[in-house]
Amino acid sequence: MPALEEIDHKAQRTALTASTIAFTICFAAWTIFAIIGIRIRDELGLSETEFGLLVGTPILTGSLIRVILGIWTDLYGGRIVLVGTMLAAAAATFLLTYAHTYPQMLLAALEVGIAGGSFAAGVAYVSRWYPPDKQGTALGIFGAGNVGSAVTKFLAPLVLVAWGWHAVAEIWAAGLVVTAILFWFTTKDDPIHAERRRAGQSPKSAWLELEPLKNVQVWRFSLYYFVVFGAFVALALWLPQYLINVYGLDIRTAGMIAAFFSVPASLFRAYGGHLSDVYGARRVLYWTFLVSIVATFILAYPPTDYAVKTLSGPATFHLEMGLVGFTIVLFVLGFFMALGKAAIYKHIPAYYPDHVGAVGGLVGMIGGLGGFLLPILFGVLLDFTGLWTSCFMALFLLVSVALIWMHMAIRQMERGATEKTLAALPPFPEMQGMPAPKAEPRRSDAVLTDWRPEDPAFWAEKGRRIARRNLWLSIPALLLSFAIWQVWSVVVAKLPLVGYTFTTDQLFWLAALPGISGATFRIFYSFMVPIFGGRLWTTLTTWSLIIPAVGIGFAVQNPNTPYIVFLLLALLCGFGGGNFASSMSNISFFFPKSEKGNALALNAGLGNLGVSVVQFVVPLVITAGIFGWLGGDPVMTKAVAGSTPLWLQNAGFFFVPFTAISAFASWFGMNDIASAKASFAEQAVIFQRRHNWIMCWLYTGTFGSFIGYSAGFPLLAKTLFPDVNALQFAFLGPLVGALSRSGTGWLADRFGGARVTLWVFVLMMAGACGVLWFIATKDQPGAFWGFFISFLVLFFATGVGNASTFQMIPAIMGKEMIRLMPDATPEARRLEAEKESAAITGFTSAIAAFGAFFIPMGYGLSITFTGGPQAALWAFLIFYVTCLVLTWAAYTRKGSLLYDVERNKRNTTGKAAAAE
């Protein structure tokens, strides 16, 4: 490869972008029979085996042709081969409309399969633009073009229903032609081919390109790809009809859910390339196979009726995978398949730099053959057994064999090595004895190796700019996390309107469960940023929000959905709650002490707006069919003006596109700080710090109250004041709390967090007394408004207290490090204080988040046992008294830890103001 400095980086980026788009369009055409094949099957009256052969035939052609296209790419360059492949595929796809009999359809399907060969050409073309240490990520991004399968499943049903399957073929053919033209005029020849042409070198013999294929390691490597890629293609083709026949869905809905599998199984391939670059492909493949075994076992379990003999007679029960559970497990399977695909292709350009086309073509061919053979096998198994889940039984056995074979090969390799040479072993047993690739130190602008926020010159020159960028990317991700976490606070109030007959106690449980799961997740999330890095962890946790959002969207559309399913989805919404701990921990590393309080207040305060957003936006979006047929049908509900439609599913679906955008923005815009790395053991020292537990108690009083009142207020207000439409005002409480948090961080920075916190608890006690007073007089005119204003006071106080308590943590640990590390340098104390402060910030937020469970459940239990919520509110008031006393005793009284610090802060501020 030419020297890196000689490569045109703009042309490099253009080549990757254009190749990824081209492969996406080709993949969309390659899997076109997954949708139009269902209509063709009905027209021709095909059996399941014949249908499996039809949808698998293009995969056969696309697989077999990959070797020759890969060789041609090595010889003549990927640019011309890719364009020729797209034009040939376009002609074949257009001619498909002239086929009328089953043999004609099979012949046309063979020709359409040319589109699948584009992968081999694209891999060779893209790899030549990048050095070895970046090829895993680059090829992962290119491989994400598998998302073309989802493009077909999203768009083809719309075209098919509107104009018929012939129109689908014609439009897809036109798309290939347009893409080929744009690709030709926007890209250049790869550096190696361009250099060869400048030097006047003639291409090597095609037989020389085939030389590496004699290595048995290459063929074993290909079989791994048969498992992860072949199974992906097979499922992408098989799922639409599986969903139609098993769950009774229409073709459009089935296509959308099938795309839900294809999208993560494609887009996360880019992330798999990154993981392979950083952690090693072997480790990624182990996780891929292990998780795939679990997922396919769950999916393979057929619907079963059990009868158990008991003393009182037989007890029967039914076990079957529901649509929501099926979709979630399928998403997980697709995610890890994506990682595995990238892990396998990581090593091809490293070990076979001069034969990427040939070797990559063979590996792709074997993988593609899986996409051809497995649908046929699925059809045969279905005809033979009558079980739709038999396809997953086959995949379970296939993945098990692959894992056992890989593990045995690795163990055999390791047994023959000494301890010294173990570290030098290649990532895969297939690579043993092969020449080791030359690895260069991995550099990434995303990792900040020099980070000194306390250095005024560094901070002014570039630190502030980087810190603020990370902060403003963190805020929307956190806002969406709070929205998903608290979406049940609105949904539970609407469930009775759409046909659910849950009791008040059951509804309070649904509102409370996200709190307990979110708080539990926070315990683990608190320590993840120093282990994995803030950029990676923020991206992953943001993507995780899609699971409960989509699950809610499907579950609420069927009044027969069991209560247990709602409980599970409520627990999964805790993903959003867990994100707060890692987000705050991450942002705390970026800012100096003088700005930490305000930065954390902005991150948390504006992130807390997600609670207000969900309570303001959801009542609006559920009144309109904003997603058309994709969003499902509305339910007619009774209202004062008559029957009105309600799309309650939009409460989940609405946040999906925003979550995807935020996740991509986090990955491409945020940074990791090298000095912030720490293991769990290093962070676990906080459990020995008594101030960690004190701050857990105080932050539960502020944030626990904020999130608990946010979750419980809509249902509490509806229960106490049924004649008032309290839902339209519910968003104002969290809005006040979020804005007061983001707007008052400067108070703690200026006057001291402990002093502000002390007065916060005084105000919260007053607010709680006001709520109790107006509940006692709730039959009086205007009682609701007094009740509502008292809650606004509580929300305002919690917001101020949330900011002030978090400002206290770095101040406490900075003072404590002087006592704990008397012989250390100031810089060492600063780094340790920052690490422990970040861990304590996350952990205290985890403990405090249990307020989202205890407050709604406190209301529910109080109403159940006493007939009203007053007992719970009295308990909260007593708790605030303990927080007030603890704040005074530990931090604000004379001689306490922060007394001198905050008094000096006030005096310094006063002198500066006087000087001005």
Side-chain angles (χ1 to χ4, degrees):
M1 173 176 282
L4 291 179
E5 59 269 18
E6 298 176 4
I7 294 179
D8 183 345
H9 293 288
K10 180 179 179 182
Q12 183 187 62
R13 291 190 295 269
T14 302
L16 177 58
T17 303
S19 299
T20 304
I21 294 173
F23 181 49
T24 300
I25 302 302
C26 287
F27 210 96
W30 196 32
T31 56
I32 194 173
F33 278 94
I35 298 300
I36 67 173
I38 296 174
R39 184 63 56 86
I40 293 171
R41 180 189 62 183
D42 295 337
E43 291 179 0
L44 300 180
L46 305 180
S47 69
E48 297 301 336
T49 302
E50 290 173 328
F51 175 77
L53 180 61
L54 176 63
V55 299
T57 296
I59 311 304
L60 175 64
T61 309
S63 302
L64 295 177
I65 203 173
R66 286 184 174 189
V67 174
I68 187 61
L69 289 180
I71 294 173
W72 285 351
T73 301
D74 283 341
L75 296 178
Y76 307 112
R79 182 164 170 259
I80 190 170
V81 174
L82 266 175
V83 170
T85 301
M86 285 187 279
L87 292 176
T93 305
F94 180 80
L95 293 174
L96 174 64
T97 60
Y98 293 93
H100 302 289
T101 65
Y102 184 62
Q104 291 175 343
M105 288 292 178
L106 287 178
L107 179 61
L110 277 171
E111 297 168 350
V112 170
I114 294 172
S118 60
F119 178 74
V123 164
Y125 178 68
V126 170
S127 66
R128 289 178 172 180
W129 283 98
Y130 289 87
D133 65 318
K134 294 184 179 179
Q135 284 174 342
T137 301
L139 292 179
I141 293 172
F142 168 77
N146 291 163
V147 78
S149 174
V151 172
T152 290
K153 292 181 179 65
F154 271 124
L155 300 181
L158 300 176
V159 179
L160 185 147
V161 171
W163 299 301
W165 69 264
H166 293 83
V168 178
E170 292 166 354
I171 293 172
W172 265 234
L176 284 166
V177 172
V178 171
T179 305
I181 294 172
L182 291 176
F183 185 90
W184 179 257
F185 286 105
T186 57
T187 61
K188 299 179 181 179
D189 288 332
D190 65 78
I192 291 180
H193 182 69
E195 181 65 25
R196 185 188 299 163
R197 193 169 56 185
R198 278 195 300 269
Q201 297 177 353
S202 58
K204 294 181 295 184
S205 167
W207 294 110
L208 293 177
E209 293 292 336
L210 291 172
E211 184 179 4
L213 305 189
K214 67 182 181 181
N215 297 318
V216 68
Q217 294 95 336
V218 175
W219 294 90
R220 194 189 305 168
F221 208 40
S222 300
L223 290 179
Y224 293 160
Y225 200 61
F226 180 93
V227 174
V228 293
F229 178 76
F232 159 71
V233 174
L235 286 176
L237 297 171
W238 189 256
L239 278 174
Q241 71 154 349
Y242 182 98
L243 292 164
I244 290 171
N245 288 278
V246 174
Y247 295 105
L249 305 178
D250 59 52
I251 189 171
R252 293 175 297 183
T253 307
M256 183 181 69
I257 297 178
F260 186 67
F261 163 77
S262 300
V263 169
S266 306
L267 295 181
F268 282 111
R269 185 167 181 163
Y271 177 56
H274 166 74
L275 288 181
S276 298
D277 281 343
V278 176
Y279 299 106
R282 186 204 300 181
R283 184 178 299 178
V284 174
L285 261 188
Y286 259 120
W287 277 107
T288 296
F289 289 149
L290 287 170
V291 174
S292 297
I293 283 177
V294 175
T296 52
F297 177 82
I298 295 172
L299 294 170
Y301 208 89
T304 308
D305 291 306
Y306 289 91
V308 180
K309 293 182 179 180
T310 67
L311 293 176
S312 57
T316 62
F317 62 95
H318 181 74
L319 189 63
E320 182 177 0
M321 173 72 76
L323 179 59
V324 174
F326 178 87
T327 305
I328 292 172
V329 176
L330 200 65
F331 178 94
V332 174
L333 180 63
F335 172 80
F336 279 93
M337 280 183 169
L339 301 188
K341 287 183 284 187
I344 292 170
Y345 263 86
K346 155 69 180 173
H347 290 285
I348 292 176
Y351 285 90
Y352 303 97
D354 298 325
H355 304 278
V356 174
V359 176
L362 176 68
V363 173
M365 182 192 75
I366 299 297
L369 284 176
F372 166 72
L373 296 173
L374 289 175
I376 299 175
L377 175 63
F378 294 169
V380 171
L381 287 174
L382 179 59
D383 288 340
F384 181 75
T385 65
L387 293 173
W388 277 99
T389 59
S390 59
C391 61
F392 294 107
M393 297 177 185
L395 292 181
F396 173 79
L397 293 175
L398 184 63
V399 177
S400 299
V401 170
L403 175 63
I404 292 170
W405 192 0
M406 184 180 77
H407 184 66
M408 289 177 63
I410 291 172
R411 293 297 300 154
Q412 183 180 5
M413 178 182 68
E414 290 178 342
R415 279 195 298 269
T418 64
E419 236 179 82
K420 275 188 178 182
T421 58
L422 277 177
L425 289 176
F428 289 101
E430 297 91 330
M431 303 301 129
Q432 192 173 22
M434 302 298 294
K438 294 181 179 179
E440 297 180 2
R442 181 175 175 80
R443 297 184 179 90
S444 174
D445 292 338
V447 180
L448 304 174
T449 55
D450 178 26
W451 189 249
R452 293 169 282 115
E454 301 295 345
D455 183 341
F458 175 87
W459 182 249
E461 181 182 351
K462 65 177 183 179
R464 179 180 284 109
R465 173 176 52 83
I466 296 173
R468 287 181 175 176
R469 184 182 71 242
N470 280 268
L471 173 62
W472 292 113
L473 288 173
S474 174
I475 286 170
L478 189 55
L479 185 148
L480 289 165
S481 297
F482 271 93
I484 295 300
W485 194 24
Q486 293 301 301
V487 70
W488 280 106
S489 66
V490 180
V491 173
V492 292
K494 297 293 184 180
L495 287 177
L497 297 178
V498 294
Y500 293 94
T501 57
F502 300 145
T503 65
T504 300
D505 189 50
Q506 286 178 315
L507 293 176
F508 269 114
W509 267 103
L510 289 177
L513 278 182
I516 196 169
S517 62
T520 304
F521 284 133
R522 283 188 180 194
I523 295 174
F524 300 101
Y525 283 24
S526 302
F527 306 99
M528 293 298 105
V529 168
I531 296 174
F532 293 100
R535 171 173 169 258
L536 169 59
W537 190 252
T538 302
T539 302
L540 287 178
T541 53
T542 303
W543 276 119
S544 72
L545 303 177
I546 290 181
I547 299 174
V550 173
I552 289 172
F554 284 116
V556 298
Q557 295 185 57
N558 183 6
N560 295 320
T561 302
Y563 182 64
I564 187 66
V565 173
F566 286 104
L567 292 177
L568 176 61
L569 289 171
L571 287 170
L572 290 177
C573 284
F575 285 152
N579 288 0
F580 180 82
S582 53
S583 178
M584 296 298 285
S585 173
N586 182 44
I587 293 302
S588 70
F589 285 109
F590 282 94
F591 288 85
K593 290 180 183 178
S594 59
E595 298 186 31
K596 220 180 268 285
N598 191 49
L600 292 175
L602 285 171
N603 188 54
L606 297 180
N608 289 168
L609 278 177
V611 181
S612 184
V613 166
V614 79
Q615 294 181 350
F616 176 76
V617 170
V618 169
L620 297 179
V621 298
I622 63 177
T623 62
I626 57 177
F627 293 104
W629 65 267
L630 283 171
D633 298 324
V635 174
M636 302 306 295
T637 61
K638 294 181 180 180
V640 177
S643 296
T644 58
L646 193 69
W647 287 266
L648 190 56
Q649 59 268 34
N650 288 353
F653 291 153
F654 176 77
F655 296 101
V656 171
F658 298 104
T659 300
I661 293 171
S662 179
F664 278 117
S666 298
W667 177 250
F668 291 106
M670 295 187 75
N671 299 94
D672 291 325
I673 298 176
S675 63
K677 292 291 185 180
S679 66
F680 174 78
E682 291 173 317
Q683 298 175 79
V685 69
I686 68 169
F687 298 124
Q688 303 172 23
R689 310 295 192 221
R690 70 185 184 93
H691 292 287
N692 173 53
W693 303 107
I694 295 174
M695 293 310 301
C696 285
W697 188 269
L698 299 184
Y699 194 59
T700 299
T702 58
F703 180 78
S705 297
F706 168 80
I707 201 64
Y709 291 146
S710 299
F713 176 77
L715 195 55
L716 178 66
K718 182 179 176 61
T719 302
L720 294 175
F721 301 94
D723 297 330
V724 179
N725 184 11
L727 198 58
Q728 63 181 323
F729 305 112
F731 76 95
L732 289 174
L735 176 64
V736 168
L739 292 180
S740 67
R741 179 171 194 166
S742 58
T744 61
W746 62 272
L747 282 174
D749 282 335
R750 182 172 182 179
F751 300 108
R755 298 172 66 218
V756 174
T757 301
L758 186 75
W759 288 103
V760 159
F761 287 121
V762 173
L763 188 58
M764 292 181 71
M765 291 163 59
C769 290
V771 172
L772 285 166
W773 172 267
F774 288 106
I775 289 178
T777 60
K778 64 185 180 71
D779 296 328
Q780 301 296 320
F784 170 77
W785 295 110
F787 168 85
F788 182 62
I789 292 171
S790 297
F791 258 110
L792 289 184
V793 171
L794 279 169
F795 276 112
F796 174 81
T798 61
V800 178
N802 290 337
S804 62
T805 48
F806 266 12
Q807 192 276 344
M808 292 168 62
I809 294 173
I812 291 169
M813 297 316 298
K815 187 77 177 290
E816 279 287 272
M817 286 306 129
I818 299 174
R819 178 180 65 86
L820 296 170
M821 303 172 63
D823 299 327
T825 64
E827 178 64 13
R829 285 199 292 260
R830 181 188 69 82
L831 290 175
E832 183 63 24
E834 285 190 352
K835 288 179 182 178
E836 292 195 26
S837 295
I840 292 173
T841 296
F843 186 72
T844 54
S845 72
I847 300 302
F850 282 102
F853 170 76
F854 286 114
I855 287 182
M857 279 313 302
Y859 291 151
L861 293 174
S862 180
I863 292 172
T864 299
F865 291 106
T866 68
Q870 291 91 326
L873 287 163
W874 277 110
F876 303 154
L877 177 59
I878 295 171
F879 179 70
Y880 298 149
V881 173
T882 66
C883 291
L884 176 71
V885 172
L886 192 55
T887 304
W888 174 82
Y891 303 116
T892 64
R893 67 176 177 82
K894 190 172 183 179
S896 61
L897 186 68
L898 296 182
Y899 180 84
D900 292 335
V901 174
E902 296 190 347
R903 290 305 185 277
N904 291 337
K905 180 187 294 286
R906 183 188 64 178
N907 295 336
T908 302
T909 304
K911 291 176 181 177
E916 293 176 0

